[in-house]
Amino acid sequence: MQLGLDFKLVEELVAGVDEVGRGPLCGPVVTAAVILDPSRPILGLNDSKKLSQARREALFDEICEKALAWCIGRAEVEEIDTLNILHATMLAMKRAVEGLSVLPRLALIDGNRCPKLAVPSAPVVQGDAKVPAIAAASILAKVSRDREMQSLDLDYPGYGFAAHKGYATAEHLEALCRLGPTPIHRRSFAPVRMSLEAAIPVVPGLSEGLAIVG
């Protein structure tokens, strides 16, 4: 029985690109670009969501060791709030591809659109379950972001970042209401914005819609 994607589908100097973190209420969006080496097979590559944490961690190290080139890109919370999450994701993908030490002849992007790149590119819907290089990128991006959220859990205790990784779980929403947003929360996302608005006291006698921060 074959586990993971067929490594024979690896094409020379083709970069796979994927992202993690478009949906969470906090933290960066993290991307990765990977050019696999056809002569150094990596068994078990698959969409990172289909793998256990232990398997992702093991594959992370193997990908970093065996790939011809790889790079992690990101867009920060401030960029997400300024640009919106779609454009911030495209920027992070562009950074990942531009950071590769080897110039790809083609970049295959997971999803239905591509960032503006200096190399040819093509979107692949559900590419992380079809293209080994995109699957490898999904693993690097997810492990990198998960590790960062685990670290941020120590900086901001009480929110449960290590468990939910910033997604809008019931635990996270409850903590947001109880503790308020942290500096790593995305102000442009509705639950965070609503939490901020709920914390602003309205001063009687002022015109409707005006408020001051206490």
Side-chain angles (χ1 to χ4, degrees), residues 2-35:
Q2 178 185 329
L3 298 177
L5 305 182
D6 188 351
F7 202 81
K8 295 177 182 178
L9 298 175
V10 172
E11 298 183 57
E12 188 174 0
L13 294 182
V14 172
V17 185
D18 201 3
E19 58 77 24
V20 172
R22 286 183 63 171
L25 304 179
C26 62
V29 58
V30 176
T31 63
V34 179
I35 302 176

PDB file of all heavy atoms in Angstrom, residues 2-35:
ATOM      1  N   GLN A   2       0.580   2.182  -0.913  1.00  0.00           N
ATOM      2  CA  GLN A   2       1.352   3.416  -0.987  1.00  0.00           C
ATOM      3  C   GLN A   2       0.830   4.425   0.018  1.00  0.00           C
ATOM      4  O   GLN A   2      -0.365   4.663   0.116  1.00  0.00           O
ATOM      5  CB  GLN A   2       1.242   4.003  -2.395  1.00  0.00           C
ATOM      6  CG  GLN A   2       1.972   5.327  -2.547  1.00  0.00           C
ATOM      7  CD  GLN A   2       1.739   5.936  -3.912  1.00  0.00           C
ATOM      8  OE1 GLN A   2       1.562   5.223  -4.882  1.00  0.00           O
ATOM      9  NE2 GLN A   2       1.738   7.248  -3.974  1.00  0.00           N
ATOM     10  N   LEU A   3       1.736   5.011   0.762  1.00  0.00           N
ATOM     11  CA  LEU A   3       1.370   6.037   1.721  1.00  0.00           C
ATOM     12  C   LEU A   3       1.800   7.385   1.183  1.00  0.00           C
ATOM     13  O   LEU A   3       2.956   7.572   0.823  1.00  0.00           O
ATOM     14  CB  LEU A   3       2.035   5.769   3.070  1.00  0.00           C
ATOM     15  CG  LEU A   3       1.642   4.461   3.755  1.00  0.00           C
ATOM     16  CD1 LEU A   3       2.443   4.287   5.040  1.00  0.00           C
ATOM     17  CD2 LEU A   3       0.156   4.438   4.057  1.00  0.00           C
ATOM     18  N   GLY A   4       0.874   8.325   1.097  1.00  0.00           N
ATOM     19  CA  GLY A   4       1.216   9.641   0.599  1.00  0.00           C
ATOM     20  C   GLY A   4       1.159   9.722  -0.907  1.00  0.00           C
ATOM     21  O   GLY A   4       0.700   8.819  -1.605  1.00  0.00           O
ATOM     22  N   LEU A   5       1.659  10.851  -1.439  1.00  0.00           N
ATOM     23  CA  LEU A   5       1.613  11.092  -2.870  1.00  0.00           C
ATOM     24  C   LEU A   5       2.745  10.376  -3.584  1.00  0.00           C
ATOM     25  O   LEU A   5       3.778  10.076  -3.000  1.00  0.00           O
ATOM     26  CB  LEU A   5       1.686  12.599  -3.135  1.00  0.00           C
ATOM     27  CG  LEU A   5       0.627  13.454  -2.435  1.00  0.00           C
ATOM     28  CD1 LEU A   5       0.791  14.919  -2.817  1.00  0.00           C
ATOM     29  CD2 LEU A   5      -0.767  12.975  -2.781  1.00  0.00           C
ATOM     30  N   ASP A   6       2.538  10.150  -4.870  1.00  0.00           N
ATOM     31  CA  ASP A   6       3.532   9.454  -5.681  1.00  0.00           C
ATOM     32  C   ASP A   6       4.704  10.393  -5.969  1.00  0.00           C
ATOM     33  O   ASP A   6       4.541  11.411  -6.653  1.00  0.00           O
ATOM     34  CB  ASP A   6       2.880   9.001  -6.989  1.00  0.00           C
ATOM     35  CG  ASP A   6       3.782   8.100  -7.813  1.00  0.00           C
ATOM     36  OD1 ASP A   6       4.975   7.967  -7.463  1.00  0.00           O
ATOM     37  OD2 ASP A   6       3.308   7.534  -8.811  1.00  0.00           O
ATOM     38  N   PHE A   7       5.878  10.070  -5.478  1.00  0.00           N
ATOM     39  CA  PHE A   7       7.040  10.942  -5.656  1.00  0.00           C
ATOM     40  C   PHE A   7       7.486  10.998  -7.115  1.00  0.00           C
ATOM     41  O   PHE A   7       8.232  11.895  -7.509  1.00  0.00           O
ATOM     42  CB  PHE A   7       8.197  10.492  -4.769  1.00  0.00           C
ATOM     43  CG  PHE A   7       9.193  11.579  -4.486  1.00  0.00           C
ATOM     44  CD1 PHE A   7       8.949  12.516  -3.491  1.00  0.00           C
ATOM     45  CD2 PHE A   7      10.369  11.690  -5.225  1.00  0.00           C
ATOM     46  CE1 PHE A   7       9.856  13.542  -3.228  1.00  0.00           C
ATOM     47  CE2 PHE A   7      11.288  12.702  -4.965  1.00  0.00           C
ATOM     48  CZ  PHE A   7      11.023  13.634  -3.968  1.00  0.00           C
ATOM     49  N   LYS A   8       7.020  10.068  -7.942  1.00  0.00           N
ATOM     50  CA  LYS A   8       7.350  10.097  -9.365  1.00  0.00           C
ATOM     51  C   LYS A   8       6.740  11.318 -10.058  1.00  0.00           C
ATOM     52  O   LYS A   8       7.133  11.665 -11.177  1.00  0.00           O
ATOM     53  CB  LYS A   8       6.865   8.820 -10.046  1.00  0.00           C
ATOM     54  CG  LYS A   8       7.571   7.553  -9.570  1.00  0.00           C
ATOM     55  CD  LYS A   8       7.000   6.316 -10.235  1.00  0.00           C
ATOM     56  CE  LYS A   8       7.676   5.058  -9.709  1.00  0.00           C
ATOM     57  NZ  LYS A   8       7.089   3.826 -10.313  1.00  0.00           N
ATOM     58  N   LEU A   9       5.791  11.973  -9.379  1.00  0.00           N
ATOM     59  CA  LEU A   9       5.164  13.166  -9.949  1.00  0.00           C
ATOM     60  C   LEU A   9       6.018  14.418  -9.754  1.00  0.00           C
ATOM     61  O   LEU A   9       5.664  15.490 -10.247  1.00  0.00           O
ATOM     62  CB  LEU A   9       3.785  13.393  -9.304  1.00  0.00           C
ATOM     63  CG  LEU A   9       2.750  12.286  -9.517  1.00  0.00           C
ATOM     64  CD1 LEU A   9       1.493  12.591  -8.717  1.00  0.00           C
ATOM     65  CD2 LEU A   9       2.422  12.137 -10.996  1.00  0.00           C
ATOM     66  N   VAL A  10       7.147  14.277  -9.059  1.00  0.00           N
ATOM     67  CA  VAL A  10       8.021  15.424  -8.834  1.00  0.00           C
ATOM     68  C   VAL A  10       8.679  15.834 -10.146  1.00  0.00           C
ATOM     69  O   VAL A  10       9.287  15.013 -10.838  1.00  0.00           O
ATOM     70  CB  VAL A  10       9.100  15.097  -7.781  1.00  0.00           C
ATOM     71  CG1 VAL A  10      10.119  16.231  -7.689  1.00  0.00           C
ATOM     72  CG2 VAL A  10       8.458  14.857  -6.433  1.00  0.00           C
ATOM     73  N   GLU A  11       8.548  17.115 -10.492  1.00  0.00           N
ATOM     74  CA  GLU A  11       9.154  17.641 -11.708  1.00  0.00           C
ATOM     75  C   GLU A  11      10.364  18.494 -11.359  1.00  0.00           C
ATOM     76  O   GLU A  11      10.396  19.175 -10.334  1.00  0.00           O
ATOM     77  CB  GLU A  11       8.141  18.487 -12.485  1.00  0.00           C
ATOM     78  CG  GLU A  11       6.918  17.707 -12.946  1.00  0.00           C
ATOM     79  CD  GLU A  11       5.977  18.577 -13.762  1.00  0.00           C
ATOM     80  OE1 GLU A  11       6.417  19.138 -14.780  1.00  0.00           O
ATOM     81  OE2 GLU A  11       4.812  18.712 -13.364  1.00  0.00           O
ATOM     82  N   GLU A  12      11.352  18.464 -12.228  1.00  0.00           N
ATOM     83  CA  GLU A  12      12.604  19.162 -11.961  1.00  0.00           C
ATOM     84  C   GLU A  12      12.409  20.673 -11.923  1.00  0.00           C
ATOM     85  O   GLU A  12      11.793  21.260 -12.820  1.00  0.00           O
ATOM     86  CB  GLU A  12      13.630  18.793 -13.026  1.00  0.00           C
ATOM     87  CG  GLU A  12      15.024  19.307 -12.727  1.00  0.00           C
ATOM     88  CD  GLU A  12      16.048  18.803 -13.723  1.00  0.00           C
ATOM     89  OE1 GLU A  12      15.665  18.049 -14.639  1.00  0.00           O
ATOM     90  OE2 GLU A  12      17.221  19.166 -13.586  1.00  0.00           O
ATOM     91  N   LEU A  13      12.912  21.295 -10.866  1.00  0.00           N
ATOM     92  CA  LEU A  13      12.904  22.756 -10.684  1.00  0.00           C
ATOM     93  C   LEU A  13      11.506  23.362 -10.695  1.00  0.00           C
ATOM     94  O   LEU A  13      11.312  24.494 -11.119  1.00  0.00           O
ATOM     95  CB  LEU A  13      13.775  23.428 -11.740  1.00  0.00           C
ATOM     96  CG  LEU A  13      15.274  23.117 -11.655  1.00  0.00           C
ATOM     97  CD1 LEU A  13      16.035  23.889 -12.718  1.00  0.00           C
ATOM     98  CD2 LEU A  13      15.826  23.431 -10.276  1.00  0.00           C
ATOM     99  N   VAL A  14      10.533  22.596 -10.203  1.00  0.00           N
ATOM    100  CA  VAL A  14       9.178  23.123 -10.018  1.00  0.00           C
ATOM    101  C   VAL A  14       8.960  23.346  -8.525  1.00  0.00           C
ATOM    102  O   VAL A  14       9.115  22.424  -7.724  1.00  0.00           O
ATOM    103  CB  VAL A  14       8.116  22.171 -10.578  1.00  0.00           C
ATOM    104  CG1 VAL A  14       6.712  22.642 -10.189  1.00  0.00           C
ATOM    105  CG2 VAL A  14       8.227  22.092 -12.096  1.00  0.00           C
ATOM    106  N   ALA A  15       8.605  24.565  -8.173  1.00  0.00           N
ATOM    107  CA  ALA A  15       8.365  24.902  -6.772  1.00  0.00           C
ATOM    108  C   ALA A  15       6.892  24.703  -6.429  1.00  0.00           C
ATOM    109  O   ALA A  15       6.009  25.086  -7.195  1.00  0.00           O
ATOM    110  CB  ALA A  15       8.765  26.345  -6.494  1.00  0.00           C
ATOM    111  N   GLY A  16       6.645  24.117  -5.291  1.00  0.00           N
ATOM    112  CA  GLY A  16       5.297  24.045  -4.745  1.00  0.00           C
ATOM    113  C   GLY A  16       5.151  25.114  -3.679  1.00  0.00           C
ATOM    114  O   GLY A  16       6.084  25.356  -2.904  1.00  0.00           O
ATOM    115  N   VAL A  17       3.993  25.771  -3.645  1.00  0.00           N
ATOM    116  CA  VAL A  17       3.778  26.883  -2.714  1.00  0.00           C
ATOM    117  C   VAL A  17       2.435  26.697  -2.017  1.00  0.00           C
ATOM    118  O   VAL A  17       1.430  26.409  -2.665  1.00  0.00           O
ATOM    119  CB  VAL A  17       3.789  28.243  -3.450  1.00  0.00           C
ATOM    120  CG1 VAL A  17       3.683  29.394  -2.455  1.00  0.00           C
ATOM    121  CG2 VAL A  17       5.048  28.384  -4.307  1.00  0.00           C
ATOM    122  N   ASP A  18       2.430  26.862  -0.693  1.00  0.00           N
ATOM    123  CA  ASP A  18       1.186  26.743   0.064  1.00  0.00           C
ATOM    124  C   ASP A  18       1.225  27.678   1.257  1.00  0.00           C
ATOM    125  O   ASP A  18       2.282  28.212   1.613  1.00  0.00           O
ATOM    126  CB  ASP A  18       0.973  25.296   0.522  1.00  0.00           C
ATOM    127  CG  ASP A  18      -0.491  24.995   0.842  1.00  0.00           C
ATOM    128  OD1 ASP A  18      -1.354  25.881   0.656  1.00  0.00           O
ATOM    129  OD2 ASP A  18      -0.773  23.870   1.294  1.00  0.00           O
ATOM    130  N   GLU A  19       0.068  27.875   1.868  1.00  0.00           N
ATOM    131  CA  GLU A  19      -0.060  28.772   3.019  1.00  0.00           C
ATOM    132  C   GLU A  19      -0.775  28.091   4.170  1.00  0.00           C
ATOM    133  O   GLU A  19      -1.523  27.135   3.978  1.00  0.00           O
ATOM    134  CB  GLU A  19      -0.805  30.054   2.633  1.00  0.00           C
ATOM    135  CG  GLU A  19      -2.206  29.840   2.053  1.00  0.00           C
ATOM    136  CD  GLU A  19      -3.278  29.509   3.064  1.00  0.00           C
ATOM    137  OE1 GLU A  19      -3.112  29.865   4.255  1.00  0.00           O
ATOM    138  OE2 GLU A  19      -4.277  28.876   2.675  1.00  0.00           O
ATOM    139  N   VAL A  20      -0.562  28.626   5.349  1.00  0.00           N
ATOM    140  CA  VAL A  20      -1.295  28.237   6.548  1.00  0.00           C
ATOM    141  C   VAL A  20      -1.602  29.505   7.329  1.00  0.00           C
ATOM    142  O   VAL A  20      -0.735  30.374   7.470  1.00  0.00           O
ATOM    143  CB  VAL A  20      -0.485  27.263   7.422  1.00  0.00           C
ATOM    144  CG1 VAL A  20      -1.188  27.026   8.759  1.00  0.00           C
ATOM    145  CG2 VAL A  20      -0.268  25.942   6.707  1.00  0.00           C
ATOM    146  N   GLY A  21      -2.829  29.619   7.814  1.00  0.00           N
ATOM    147  CA  GLY A  21      -3.138  30.727   8.699  1.00  0.00           C
ATOM    148  C   GLY A  21      -3.991  31.832   8.122  1.00  0.00           C
ATOM    149  O   GLY A  21      -3.992  32.940   8.643  1.00  0.00           O
ATOM    150  N   ARG A  22      -4.764  31.542   7.081  1.00  0.00           N
ATOM    151  CA  ARG A  22      -5.664  32.572   6.564  1.00  0.00           C
ATOM    152  C   ARG A  22      -6.851  32.778   7.500  1.00  0.00           C
ATOM    153  O   ARG A  22      -7.340  33.887   7.655  1.00  0.00           O
ATOM    154  CB  ARG A  22      -6.168  32.211   5.165  1.00  0.00           C
ATOM    155  CG  ARG A  22      -5.131  32.387   4.081  1.00  0.00           C
ATOM    156  CD  ARG A  22      -5.669  32.098   2.695  1.00  0.00           C
ATOM    157  NE  ARG A  22      -6.732  33.026   2.303  1.00  0.00           N
ATOM    158  CZ  ARG A  22      -7.240  33.089   1.080  1.00  0.00           C
ATOM    159  NH1 ARG A  22      -6.795  32.279   0.128  1.00  0.00           N
ATOM    160  NH2 ARG A  22      -8.192  33.953   0.794  1.00  0.00           N
ATOM    161  N   GLY A  23      -7.316  31.718   8.140  1.00  0.00           N
ATOM    162  CA  GLY A  23      -8.535  31.794   8.926  1.00  0.00           C
ATOM    163  C   GLY A  23      -8.418  32.242  10.366  1.00  0.00           C
ATOM    164  O   GLY A  23      -9.391  32.753  10.925  1.00  0.00           O
ATOM    165  N   PRO A  24      -7.272  32.068  11.031  1.00  0.00           N
ATOM    166  CA  PRO A  24      -7.187  32.417  12.453  1.00  0.00           C
ATOM    167  C   PRO A  24      -7.447  33.889  12.742  1.00  0.00           C
ATOM    168  O   PRO A  24      -7.329  34.748  11.864  1.00  0.00           O
ATOM    169  CB  PRO A  24      -5.743  32.045  12.807  1.00  0.00           C
ATOM    170  CG  PRO A  24      -5.378  30.985  11.840  1.00  0.00           C
ATOM    171  CD  PRO A  24      -6.069  31.365  10.573  1.00  0.00           C
ATOM    172  N   LEU A  25      -7.770  34.167  13.992  1.00  0.00           N
ATOM    173  CA  LEU A  25      -8.031  35.532  14.443  1.00  0.00           C
ATOM    174  C   LEU A  25      -6.754  36.246  14.851  1.00  0.00           C
ATOM    175  O   LEU A  25      -6.793  37.446  15.128  1.00  0.00           O
ATOM    176  CB  LEU A  25      -8.990  35.516  15.636  1.00  0.00           C
ATOM    177  CG  LEU A  25     -10.329  34.812  15.443  1.00  0.00           C
ATOM    178  CD1 LEU A  25     -11.143  34.884  16.730  1.00  0.00           C
ATOM    179  CD2 LEU A  25     -11.094  35.417  14.273  1.00  0.00           C
ATOM    180  N   CYS A  26      -5.644  35.538  14.883  1.00  0.00           N
ATOM    181  CA  CYS A  26      -4.407  36.161  15.349  1.00  0.00           C
ATOM    182  C   CYS A  26      -3.211  35.488  14.706  1.00  0.00           C
ATOM    183  O   CYS A  26      -3.312  34.409  14.114  1.00  0.00           O
ATOM    184  CB  CYS A  26      -4.300  36.082  16.868  1.00  0.00           C
ATOM    185  SG  CYS A  26      -4.239  34.395  17.497  1.00  0.00           S
ATOM    186  N   GLY A  27      -2.072  36.155  14.844  1.00  0.00           N
ATOM    187  CA  GLY A  27      -0.828  35.614  14.326  1.00  0.00           C
ATOM    188  C   GLY A  27      -0.651  35.854  12.842  1.00  0.00           C
ATOM    189  O   GLY A  27      -1.568  36.301  12.149  1.00  0.00           O
ATOM    190  N   PRO A  28       0.543  35.557  12.328  1.00  0.00           N
ATOM    191  CA  PRO A  28       0.846  35.794  10.923  1.00  0.00           C
ATOM    192  C   PRO A  28       0.210  34.752  10.022  1.00  0.00           C
ATOM    193  O   PRO A  28      -0.230  33.692  10.484  1.00  0.00           O
ATOM    194  CB  PRO A  28       2.368  35.677  10.875  1.00  0.00           C
ATOM    195  CG  PRO A  28       2.661  34.641  11.927  1.00  0.00           C
ATOM    196  CD  PRO A  28       1.682  34.937  13.045  1.00  0.00           C
ATOM    197  N   VAL A  29       0.149  35.055   8.725  1.00  0.00           N
ATOM    198  CA  VAL A  29      -0.110  34.030   7.730  1.00  0.00           C
ATOM    199  C   VAL A  29       1.262  33.568   7.250  1.00  0.00           C
ATOM    200  O   VAL A  29       2.133  34.391   6.965  1.00  0.00           O
ATOM    201  CB  VAL A  29      -0.989  34.546   6.565  1.00  0.00           C
ATOM    202  CG1 VAL A  29      -0.367  35.735   5.860  1.00  0.00           C
ATOM    203  CG2 VAL A  29      -1.268  33.424   5.575  1.00  0.00           C
ATOM    204  N   VAL A  30       1.469  32.259   7.238  1.00  0.00           N
ATOM    205  CA  VAL A  30       2.779  31.687   6.939  1.00  0.00           C
ATOM    206  C   VAL A  30       2.696  30.868   5.655  1.00  0.00           C
ATOM    207  O   VAL A  30       1.750  30.098   5.455  1.00  0.00           O
ATOM    208  CB  VAL A  30       3.270  30.805   8.104  1.00  0.00           C
ATOM    209  CG1 VAL A  30       4.595  30.132   7.755  1.00  0.00           C
ATOM    210  CG2 VAL A  30       3.425  31.639   9.373  1.00  0.00           C
ATOM    211  N   THR A  31       3.674  31.056   4.793  1.00  0.00           N
ATOM    212  CA  THR A  31       3.715  30.323   3.530  1.00  0.00           C
ATOM    213  C   THR A  31       5.049  29.602   3.400  1.00  0.00           C
ATOM    214  O   THR A  31       6.006  29.895   4.128  1.00  0.00           O
ATOM    215  CB  THR A  31       3.540  31.272   2.328  1.00  0.00           C
ATOM    216  OG1 THR A  31       4.652  32.191   2.305  1.00  0.00           O
ATOM    217  CG2 THR A  31       2.248  32.059   2.431  1.00  0.00           C
ATOM    218  N   ALA A  32       5.113  28.686   2.456  1.00  0.00           N
ATOM    219  CA  ALA A  32       6.375  28.012   2.163  1.00  0.00           C
ATOM    220  C   ALA A  32       6.446  27.731   0.675  1.00  0.00           C
ATOM    221  O   ALA A  32       5.423  27.506   0.017  1.00  0.00           O
ATOM    222  CB  ALA A  32       6.505  26.715   2.952  1.00  0.00           C
ATOM    223  N   ALA A  33       7.655  27.756   0.159  1.00  0.00           N
ATOM    224  CA  ALA A  33       7.936  27.348  -1.212  1.00  0.00           C
ATOM    225  C   ALA A  33       9.005  26.265  -1.155  1.00  0.00           C
ATOM    226  O   ALA A  33       9.994  26.413  -0.431  1.00  0.00           O
ATOM    227  CB  ALA A  33       8.406  28.534  -2.047  1.00  0.00           C
ATOM    228  N   VAL A  34       8.788  25.182  -1.902  1.00  0.00           N
ATOM    229  CA  VAL A  34       9.705  24.038  -1.853  1.00  0.00           C
ATOM    230  C   VAL A  34       9.987  23.541  -3.265  1.00  0.00           C
ATOM    231  O   VAL A  34       9.056  23.359  -4.059  1.00  0.00           O
ATOM    232  CB  VAL A  34       9.120  22.881  -1.019  1.00  0.00           C
ATOM    233  CG1 VAL A  34      10.094  21.691  -1.008  1.00  0.00           C
ATOM    234  CG2 VAL A  34       8.816  23.320   0.398  1.00  0.00           C
ATOM    235  N   ILE A  35      11.261  23.339  -3.571  1.00  0.00           N
ATOM    236  CA  ILE A  35      11.662  22.644  -4.797  1.00  0.00           C
ATOM    237  C   ILE A  35      12.239  21.303  -4.373  1.00  0.00           C
ATOM    238  O   ILE A  35      13.294  21.253  -3.720  1.00  0.00           O
ATOM    239  CB  ILE A  35      12.712  23.435  -5.597  1.00  0.00           C
ATOM    240  CG1 ILE A  35      12.194  24.823  -5.962  1.00  0.00           C
ATOM    241  CG2 ILE A  35      13.094  22.671  -6.861  1.00  0.00           C
ATOM    242  CD1 ILE A  35      13.223  25.696  -6.669  1.00  0.00           C
TER     243      ILE A  35
END
